[in-house]
Amino acid sequence: MNSLHLQSDPIAIYRYNQAMTTSPYSPAPVRVAVLAFDGISPFHLSVPSLVFGESVQTREAAAFEVRVCAAETQRGGRKLRSSAGFYIEPRYGYRTLREADIVIIPSWHQDLRAAPPELLTQLRKAHAAGAMLVGLCLGAFVLAQCGLLQGRTATTHWAAAREFALRFPDVCLAPDVLYVAHPDVMTSAGTAAAIDCCLHILRTQCGPEAAAQVARKLVVAPHRQGGQAQYIERPLPESASDQRLTQLMDWMLAHLCETPSVDDLAARACMSRRSFTRHFQQQTGSSPGKWLLHQRLNHAQRALESSELSIEQIALQSGFGSALMMRRYFARELQISPSTYRQQFRTNVTV
């Protein structure tokens, strides 16, 4: 994946966090409704439960309450077949959708069939009532059928991107991103990108440390690198087979304030310029310049989250040279200013 698109709602986040931190009682958990259907993939169904499960705790209580619901539960509670050959039996029906704070469609049928009108109606009602709707993988097709993506940017599994674009020309499709986040609607790319999307929601709701803790338990990165406009923690190369490049990147991380040329870096790695750029691209998925920029952004983000340094001091430490240049790169790469980024994460719930 080459990029991520992020749009957050600091006001909504602030109000949520105020309610979580000022109430004298145990805060009510965020209600998460996950839609199941006949033939669903167990992996897709499990992702929301894994990310928002019982291991996510505030100081007083569980931060989330996850409920799996299905249309079939409305009609006598028959069991649903999974794509893996076993059955599941959801306990909840469509009423759960209407009562949820977050509604997740974890995938959809492989044949991309139209969603039942009853389901679309319930999803629209949930959205109108203030719920955030999340379409993971092929679940984006269902949100598009609801009309909730019209005129907006969205993504879905790359294999279905062409069909999505043909069916929904009024949606701005971003086929090469991991997820697209709007304040009230989110979509993700296929399979493992669902984890990235859910971790972003967790991070927004409960703070970066909560997301990092869950990511460690799942043995995944809190954020994946690749030019995404997201809150990158510390992206590392996917392969450590080339020891010289690994040592070079360690050196670059330790010297963020320096501005070496590609020739300088190639010489330090004992490679020709052409061989160096090719190997660097293969190992990191980006050019040396872009990789270094993401490390500087990463360093600045961590400092904004955890230190009392001024914007100017952080800009100098991160290698941007000035606060003005750091603001420009934040706006271009992350669609957010450094001060807004700091304010957003300073108001998150302590977990």
Side-chain angles (χ1 to χ4, degrees), residues 115-126:
E118 181 185 10
L119 172 59
L120 298 180
T121 297
Q122 296 299 328
L123 292 174
R124 293 188 188 106
K125 288 182 178 179

Side-chain angles (χ1 to χ4, degrees), residues 68-78 80 89-94:
V68 177
C69 59
E72 286 75 4
T73 308
Q74 306 281 112
R75 299 189 287 269
R78 74 177 180 87
L80 303 179
E89 190 172 2
R91 295 174 53 192
Y92 303 97
Y94 278 163

